[in-house]
Amino acid sequence: MGKRYCYEPEDASKAVKSRGTNLRVHYKHCREIAAAVCNMNLQKAIKYLRDVVDHKRIIPFVVHTGGVGRHAQAKNLPGGKKAPGSKGRWPEKATRVFIDLLKNAEANGENRSLEVEKLVIKHIQVNHAPHMRRRTYRAHGRINAYMSCPAHIEIICVDEADAVRKAPEANDSASAPTRKQLAIRRVAERGD
């Protein structure tokens, strides 16, 4: 029995999974990278992350923004999306880990004879892993904690070549008049 994922795709035969546990990379960096590449084509995501390592593109920091500087690259997001700000960084170590996980998912897709060009990152989740403890020595003989914040990452990519778009819902409640509208009509008919 394999590991349990938090998300199960509708058609498991057209999905590939990849995960890493207790990875020695910053959780906050991983969260921002995951938000940047979610719902992106798998090969485009790998290319985008390689550009991040080369400092040609940037990872926009949206949630964990304390002390993060601003840069013009942060306004140009992948897929033409607009950033809520201009803060961003190039977290190289975490980006390399994500590239390895995405390449693992790509290899899993080739192994299952899926069309790798049509794989889309449907689910990506980053969780806190247990802290790794060290100590640092301070002035006057004191000792403080010096802990790292590793992460668990799981990725699920789905072949969306044959995906059927959801039909628009027939909104019957919008066509039926409300009680207030009926009252206004009655008043208008009486001529008051």
Side-chain angles (χ1 to χ4, degrees):
M1 182 176 145
K3 299 276 186 180
R4 226 177 102 243
Y5 283 74
C6 291
Y7 171 84
E8 285 302 323
E10 292 175 9
D11 188 3
S13 63
K14 293 189 176 184
V16 291
K17 301 176 181 181
S18 176
R19 80 184 302 159
T21 55
N22 294 312
L23 300 171
R24 191 84 185 264
V25 287
H26 293 304
Y27 162 78
K28 292 181 180 182
H29 291 178
C30 293
R31 186 255 165 238
E32 300 294 354
I33 295 170
V37 299
C38 191
N39 295 320
M40 197 185 279
N41 181 290
L42 181 62
Q43 291 182 331
K44 285 183 181 177
I46 292 172
K47 183 181 183 311
Y48 168 63
L49 293 178
R50 285 193 175 133
D51 287 346
V52 169
V53 172
D54 295 336
H55 289 239
K56 295 178 187 172
R57 306 281 296 276
I58 199 167
I59 298 293
F61 275 56
V62 179
V63 175
H64 303 291
T65 57
V68 178
R70 299 182 184 275
H71 200 280
Q73 282 185 6
K75 293 187 250 179
N76 303 325
L77 299 186
K81 293 185 277 187
K82 293 291 182 193
S86 58
K87 292 184 172 186
R89 281 186 175 170
W90 301 269
E92 292 190 17
K93 186 176 177 182
T95 303
R96 286 195 175 95
V97 168
F98 265 88
I99 290 172
D100 291 342
L101 286 172
L102 292 175
K103 285 170 74 176
N104 179 252
E106 186 178 39
N108 292 343
E110 290 172 357
N111 191 29
R112 297 180 73 176
S113 65
L114 293 173
E115 294 183 50
V116 180
E117 301 82 32
K118 296 180 180 175
L119 287 176
V120 176
I121 301 170
K122 197 65 178 174
H123 168 78
I124 186 163
Q125 179 172 320
V126 180
N127 291 333
H128 282 283
H131 289 289
M132 300 176 76
R133 301 184 66 90
R134 288 185 294 168
R135 52 166 62 178
T136 183
Y137 300 93
R138 309 302 297 266
H140 310 295
R142 292 175 302 136
I143 294 174
N144 280 67
Y146 204 69
M147 296 192 284
S148 67
C149 300
H152 302 308
I153 305 170
E154 65 179 42
I155 299 171
I156 297 178
C157 302
V158 178
D159 184 1
E160 293 208 334
D162 303 326
V164 178
R165 295 246 179 240
K166 186 176 180 181
E169 294 181 13
N171 201 352
D172 295 332
S173 62
S175 61
T178 63
R179 293 175 68 184
K180 186 174 183 178
Q181 290 170 339
L182 290 172
I184 292 171
R185 286 184 196 164
R186 281 195 302 271
V187 170
E189 288 172 3
R190 281 189 288 178
D192 290 345

